[in-house]
């Protein structure tokens, strides 16, 4: 209920602000768009150190249930990326609204639809941040990374994942390939826990995930 309330407030505030966007100089708006693109590109190449730990929580809110488990928070780079994404989305939305004519029957319909759509997207991401515990969670039922859920029973091998020559997450090779998609990757730049600690935790509980329901013995991972 708290997550839904916060998300609803965000949707209401953002939609109301976008509908009332004043007319601005097009040159200024173009500069804001290019600035947003530049900031988004730069933040994606910023790799601050990650030294976080997996922490045990008695109540970990996931997609469908609340259960105990280990939680990894979102990294500083992850928060910066999220803020840059929101900023870029708002800038593009404002640019689209400013490109509409001042008058017209179809404009009166398109403007609120566009504003509510962008606000709903932002509200959805806010809901996820408030609703789910941590960026990544290891629980007895599954591994959750963001809104992605992976079953313990289908993990065959755990290995570091590299992207652009850098360690960026942990690759979970499935025991049974159910699609042509590449093996899922959890953790990475947006997670505060480095790959070696995450691999050690997944390997430790891969065969007995029910042990994650315990509390005191998990202190060894910290």
């Amino acid at each position: 209920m708290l997550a839904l309330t916060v998300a609803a407030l965000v949707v209401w505030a953002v939609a109301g602000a976008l509908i009332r966007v004043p007319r601005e100089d097009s040159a200024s708006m173009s500069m804001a768009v290019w600035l947003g693109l530049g900031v988004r590109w730069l933040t994606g190449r910023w790799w601050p150190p990650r030294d976080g730990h997996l922490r045990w929580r008695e109540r970990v809110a996931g997609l469908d249930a609340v259960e105990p488990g280990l939680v990894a928070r979102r990294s500083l780079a992850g928060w910066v990326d999220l803020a840059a994404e929101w900023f870029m989305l708002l800038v593009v939305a404002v640019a689209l609204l400013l490109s509409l004519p001042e008058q017209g029957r179809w404009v009166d319909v398109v403007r609120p639809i566009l504003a509510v759509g962008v606000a709903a997207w932002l509200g959805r991401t806010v809901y996820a941040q408030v609703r789910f515990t941590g960026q990544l969670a290891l629980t007895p039922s599954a591994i959750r990374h963001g809104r992605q859920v992976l079953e313990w029973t289908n993990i065959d091998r755990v290995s570091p994942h590299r992207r652009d020559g850098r360690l960026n997450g942990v690759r979970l090779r499935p025991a049974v390939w159910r699609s042509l998609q590449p093996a899922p990757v959890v953790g990475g730049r947006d997670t505060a826990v480095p790959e070696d600690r995450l691999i050690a935790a997944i390997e430790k509980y891969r065969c007995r995930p029910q042990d994650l329901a315990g509390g005191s013995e998990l202190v060894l991972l910290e």
Side-chain angles (χ1 to χ4, degrees):
M1 291 300 297
L2 173 62
L4 286 174
T5 301
V6 174
L9 291 174
V10 169
V11 171
W12 174 77
V14 173
L18 290 177
I19 290 176
R20 295 173 176 81
V21 168
R23 303 297 298 180
E24 296 289 346
D25 180 44
S26 58
S28 300
M29 201 63 243
S30 298
M31 184 179 297
V33 172
W34 284 108
L35 177 62
L37 289 172
V39 170
R40 190 71 184 91
W41 182 83
L42 288 174
T43 57
R45 280 148 185 79
W46 178 50
W47 287 76
R50 294 177 294 133
D51 56 358
H53 293 270
L54 287 160
R55 305 295 185 182
W56 188 82
R57 297 287 183 267
E58 185 177 355
R59 294 175 59 83
V60 178
L63 292 177
D64 302 313
V66 176
E67 53 187 338
L70 292 168
V71 176
R73 61 181 175 83
R74 183 184 287 272
S75 66
L76 177 60
W79 284 114
V80 171
D81 285 346
L82 190 61
E85 179 183 342
W86 290 351
F87 173 75
M88 191 63 207
L89 181 61
L90 288 174
V91 168
V92 171
V94 171
L96 290 175
L97 289 171
L98 292 179
S99 66
L100 296 175
E102 294 186 5
Q103 297 180 350
R105 181 176 300 178
W106 66 273
V107 175
D108 296 335
V109 176
V110 171
R111 181 179 290 272
I113 291 177
L114 179 60
V116 172
V118 172
W121 179 266
L122 289 176
R124 178 177 177 272
T125 58
V126 170
Y127 171 82
Q129 294 304 314
V130 179
R131 169 68 177 86
F132 306 135
T133 306
Q135 176 67 1
L136 185 145
L138 310 181
T139 65
S141 62
I143 298 176
R144 179 189 58 78
H145 183 206
R147 299 182 66 89
Q148 180 185 24
V149 176
L150 304 166
E151 299 176 359
W152 287 100
T153 55
N154 199 35
I155 299 176
D156 178 56
R157 187 181 302 170
V158 181
S159 61
H161 173 72
R162 289 185 176 274
R163 193 177 81 177
D164 298 332
R166 309 187 69 155
L167 282 178
N168 190 18
V170 176
R171 182 176 181 266
L172 307 180
R173 178 178 175 178
V176 179
W177 290 83
R178 298 172 181 170
S179 70
L180 297 178
Q181 298 294 325
V185 176
V186 298
R189 182 175 169 278
D190 63 348
T191 306
V193 176
E195 284 73 16
D196 56 343
R197 294 176 185 172
L198 185 55
I199 289 176
I202 294 176
E203 287 285 8
K204 177 170 182 161
Y205 296 102
R206 182 162 61 91
C207 297
R208 294 184 56 85
Q210 63 271 18
D211 291 348
L212 288 165
S216 59
E217 64 269 23
L218 299 184
V219 177
L220 295 175
L221 284 174
E222 301 184 8

